[in-house]
Amino acid sequence: GAGVSQSPRYKVAKRGQDVALRCDPISGHVSLFWYQQALGQGPEFLTYFQNEAQLDKSGLPSDRFFAERPEGSVSTLKIQRTQQEDSAVYLCASSYTGVKYEQYFGPGTRLTVT
Amino acid sequence: AQSVTQPDIHITVSEGASLELRCNYSYGATPYLFWYVQSPGQGLQLLLKYFSGDTLVQGIKGFEAEFKRSQSSFNLRKPSVHCSDAAEFFCAVANPGGFKTIFGAGTRLFVKA
């Protein structure tokens, strides 16, 4: 069956540009997670959705980062006024519900800010 | 605050040799514990998980892990490594009452033929 998909796979942005990263979770999965993975590091939690509700956004690094999941399915992570330190791979994962169930990860979007 | 430590940045083992990857966590109670693997060009995949009960858990691809509460450890093992096991391995913890999963920095496994 279809897994988690993310688009675009690669994004190059000039410093100061806004970007939008899309995540299509597995159909029927209630939970959706966003992570940021810097080179040589483990994924770092950004935010969590349960259906359309954003229940934890404690990992968002600044108010330039914004995520939404308006219909409880597709999610978008938006970064405004990108900075070089935003360069990373952004991973999306979905699970049946909550952290107890296996998280299925997408391939990630590699963002490079020049 | 929760944290996960994987002391080894990289490990090299010979094909057919045994493997142990170390993971220590910091958390007040017993968290949910996970091992994920990330192969080149592949997404992260769950190997195994521990919630409660039997402290030795079996996972996919012949991996197992043992939870030791006294040492706050959840080490991953495999009796005989294959070349195809070369990848990056991440230990992770989650608060049973929360929504956040904390990952370690990862251990990259190299396998010598």
Side-chain angles (χ1 to χ4, degrees):
Chain A
V4 177
S5 61
Q6 293 186 245
S7 60
R9 292 292 313 277
Y10 303 90
K11 177 70 180 176
V12 179
K14 285 188 167 36
R15 191 163 63 92
Q17 281 185 334
D18 298 349
V19 298
L21 313 180
R22 177 187 169 108
C23 172
D24 281 85
I26 293 173
S27 177
H29 277 191
V30 167
S31 297
L32 188 144
F33 306 77
W34 281 100
Y35 296 89
Q36 181 190 60
Q37 187 174 21
L39 195 61
Q41 298 297 316
E44 211 164 308
F45 172 84
L46 293 177
T47 188
Y48 168 80
F49 288 87
Q50 187 163 295
N51 294 309
E52 69 279 3
Q54 189 175 21
L55 299 186
D56 189 334
K57 53 182 181 178
S58 62
L60 295 176
S62 75
D63 58 8
R64 296 185 296 104
F65 286 71
F66 172 76
E68 59 183 6
R69 194 186 184 198
E71 295 175 1
S73 179
V74 170
S75 177
T76 304
L77 176 68
K78 296 178 179 176
I79 309 173
Q80 296 177 322
R81 304 180 306 280
T82 51
Q83 304 293 316
Q84 279 199 310
E85 61 263 28
D86 300 335
S87 295
V89 175
Y90 290 85
L91 297 170
C92 174
S94 70
S95 78
Y96 174 61
T97 181
V99 294
K100 188 170 186 177
Y101 292 88
E102 176 175 354
Q103 292 181 45
Y104 293 84
F105 282 81
T109 295
R110 182 178 296 279
L111 173 65
T112 303
V113 181
T114 61
Chain B
Q2 295 175 65
S3 66
V4 179
T5 302
Q6 293 181 247
D8 304 303
I9 296 172
H10 53 79
I11 279 184
T12 302
V13 300
S14 296
E15 191 172 21
S18 64
L19 170 70
E20 182 168 27
L21 301 182
R22 295 183 290 163
C23 172
N24 292 93
Y25 67 89
S26 172
Y27 184 66
T30 299
Y32 295 152
L33 294 158
F34 309 86
W35 275 98
Y36 282 84
V37 62
Q38 189 173 38
S39 300
Q42 307 277 324
L44 280 149
Q45 181 183 23
L46 180 69
L47 282 176
L48 47 77
K49 58 191 177 187
Y50 173 79
F51 299 147
S52 64
D54 192 346
T55 57
L56 186 64
V57 293
Q58 302 298 321
I60 62 170
K61 306 184 181 187
F63 287 93
E64 66 178 28
E66 185 172 13
F67 168 60
K68 292 187 177 178
R69 185 192 306 275
S70 61
Q71 297 176 22
S72 296
S73 70
F74 188 57
N75 294 348
L76 182 72
R77 301 195 293 247
K78 187 169 184 178
S80 177
V81 166
H82 190 268
C83 281
S84 59
D85 292 324
E88 183 114 32
F89 293 79
F90 294 96
C91 180
V93 303
N95 175 353
F99 311 110
K100 185 183 295 193
T101 303
I102 308 295
F103 285 79
T107 297
R108 182 166 292 278
L109 172 65
F110 297 95
V111 181
K112 287 191 299 189

